[in-house]
Amino acid sequence: GSLAGTVAASDPDAGQTKTFSIVSGNTNGAFAINASSGAITVASSTALNFETTPSFPLVIKVQDNGSPALSSQATVTISLTDVNELPVISNQSFAVNENTANGTLAGTVAASDPDAGQTKTFFIVSGNTNGAFAINATSGAITVASSTALNFETTPSFPLVIKVQDNGSPALSSQATVTISLTDVNELPVISNQSFAVAEN
């Protein structure tokens, strides 16, 4: 229903009525035209996607009501202005052995952005008990930051809330939970030197 613009047309014959129609170029029925006024309005908001169709070269026909009726055509180009859209991230899961060495890759967070060419930045928002993990802000790679924090017996999983932010104007962000589950690893039994005393015989 939003107005995109009104087609201007004239007729040398005074008093004639002009009728407007869209002949071609109206991909996915994005626009409609008022037959009487030539006003072009949005007919399908979802069809207005800068990333897939940045412009619509509409061939517009204007016809008079003379006898015989005559018509002319021209191209009316409607260009879309790019608007920053939210980056996309979904819940994900990875697994790593308990006591894994620092620097070991646990997994790389997958995220996308509908806006071509934008840079994504990753952050751990919460759930990182005892600073167990670190995330590469650029790549989204999650690595072990504290091997001693990876103890299956005390913390079998880490539900990390990850934020991904774009560099649009304004910058937009989305969040998802990336769960890192620890795999139980058999550990040595613990024994230390000890002393007892007992009476002879």
Side-chain angles (χ1 to χ4, degrees):
S2 298
L3 179 68
T6 301
V7 177
S10 61
D11 195 306
D13 302 299
Q16 285 198 347
T17 302
K18 298 182 293 293
T19 303
F20 297 89
S21 59
I22 299 174
V23 177
S24 64
N26 195 18
T27 306
N28 297 321
F31 298 97
I33 193 166
N34 183 296
S36 301
S37 68
I40 298 175
T41 53
V42 175
S44 174
S45 177
T46 56
L48 304 188
N49 187 335
F50 178 86
E51 285 69 34
T52 58
T53 314
S55 67
F56 293 78
L58 304 179
V59 175
I60 304 296
K61 181 172 82 169
V62 58
Q63 181 173 301
D64 65 20
N65 65 334
S67 182
L70 299 176
S71 64
S72 297
Q73 293 183 0
T75 300
V76 174
T77 302
I78 300 179
S79 300
L80 299 186
T81 303
D82 193 15
V83 174
N84 192 27
E85 295 166 279
L86 286 168
V88 178
I89 186 172
S90 57
N91 295 343
Q92 297 158 61
S93 299
F94 302 111
V96 66
N97 289 342
E98 65 173 331
N99 305 319
T100 295
N102 288 353
T104 303
L105 179 68
T108 300
V109 178
S112 61
D113 195 305
D115 302 298
Q118 284 197 348
T119 302
K120 297 182 291 293
T121 305
F122 297 88
F123 308 89
I124 298 175
V125 177
S126 64
N128 195 19
T129 306
N130 297 321
F133 297 98
I135 193 165
N136 183 297
T138 305
S139 69
I142 297 176
T143 52
V144 175
S146 174
S147 177
T148 55
L150 304 188
N151 186 336
F152 178 87
E153 285 69 34
T154 58
T155 314
S157 69
F158 294 78
L160 305 179
V161 175
I162 304 296
K163 179 172 85 168
V164 57
Q165 180 173 300
D166 66 20
N167 66 332
S169 182
L172 298 175
S173 64
S174 298
Q175 294 184 0
T177 300
V178 175
T179 302
I180 301 180
S181 300
L182 298 187
T183 303
D184 193 15
V185 174
N186 192 28
E187 296 167 278
L188 289 168
V190 178
I191 189 171
S192 57
N193 296 338
Q194 300 158 57
S195 299
F196 302 111
V198 64
E200 65 174 331
N201 305 320

